[in-house]
Amino acid sequence: MRLLLFSASSEPPQLSSFLAWVRLMGLQRVGGVASMGVMRPELVMKSIVPVVMAGVLGIYGLIIAVIISTGINPKAKSYYLFDGYAHLSSGLACGLAGLSAGMAIGIVGDAGVRANAQQPKLFVGMILILIFAEALALYGLIVGIILSSRAGQSRAE
């Protein structure tokens, strides 16, 4: 069984409109960082930390995508159903863990930046909570790598 990942069609995928909407929602949060620059200009760089940590989550997905794509070579060997499910589960593990970590980082980052504007001593606590939220995605990445490494082991070669 072959798994079709990329379409040869010249039409743009529907996913791009969804990603544009997600980017628009992300830009909505940039307004909070910009308003921080007006109210407390010395805290702008500290306000960008949650944005950078959320950007790292996308890199985890890219890593899993590269690992999965290197495991798919229809010219070299057959691609069995077990391999497809192993790759699907590794992508879902990393993606859903990244989604939950992104939601946690967004909530903590928003509340933490607002609280940091009022009380600068809260910055270290905000960073610690953000690190624990980022660890959720890192666990998903590790599980995804383990699951992806199981592809190709369904048969004795």
Side-chain angles (χ1 to χ4, degrees):
M1 177 178 185
R2 273 185 68 166
L3 182 64
L4 181 63
L5 292 178
F6 302 103
S7 173
S9 164
S10 63
E11 296 178 15
Q14 297 295 330
L15 186 63
S16 63
S17 61
F18 174 72
L19 292 178
W21 182 78
V22 170
R23 284 189 209 116
L24 180 64
M25 294 296 111
L27 287 175
Q28 179 181 352
R29 289 293 176 198
V30 175
V33 175
S35 67
M36 178 67 73
V38 173
M39 294 185 305
R40 304 277 306 267
E42 68 275 5
L43 297 178
V44 171
M45 293 308 290
K46 288 184 176 182
S47 302
I48 295 177
V49 171
V51 177
V52 172
M53 291 186 78
V56 172
L57 300 179
I59 296 172
Y60 294 161
L62 181 66
I63 291 169
I64 286 293
V66 168
I67 290 172
I68 290 173
S69 67
T70 57
I72 300 173
N73 189 359
K75 295 179 183 175
K77 60 181 179 179
S78 299
Y79 191 73
Y80 293 102
L81 190 62
F82 180 83
D83 302 336
Y85 281 123
H87 288 148
L88 175 68
S89 61
S90 68
L92 283 175
C94 183
L96 292 175
L99 178 67
S100 63
M103 290 177 64
I105 287 173
I107 293 169
V108 171
D110 183 39
V113 165
R114 292 175 194 271
N116 188 36
Q118 296 175 357
Q119 179 59 260
K121 293 180 181 178
L122 296 174
F123 180 72
V124 175
M126 178 188 75
I127 294 296
L128 286 174
I129 296 172
L130 286 172
I131 289 170
F132 288 129
E134 184 84 25
L136 294 174
L138 189 60
Y139 298 150
L141 174 69
I142 293 168
V143 169
I145 290 171
I146 292 170
L147 288 171
S148 182
S149 69
R150 298 292 182 194
Q153 296 181 0
S154 65
R155 59 209 172 272
E157 293 186 47

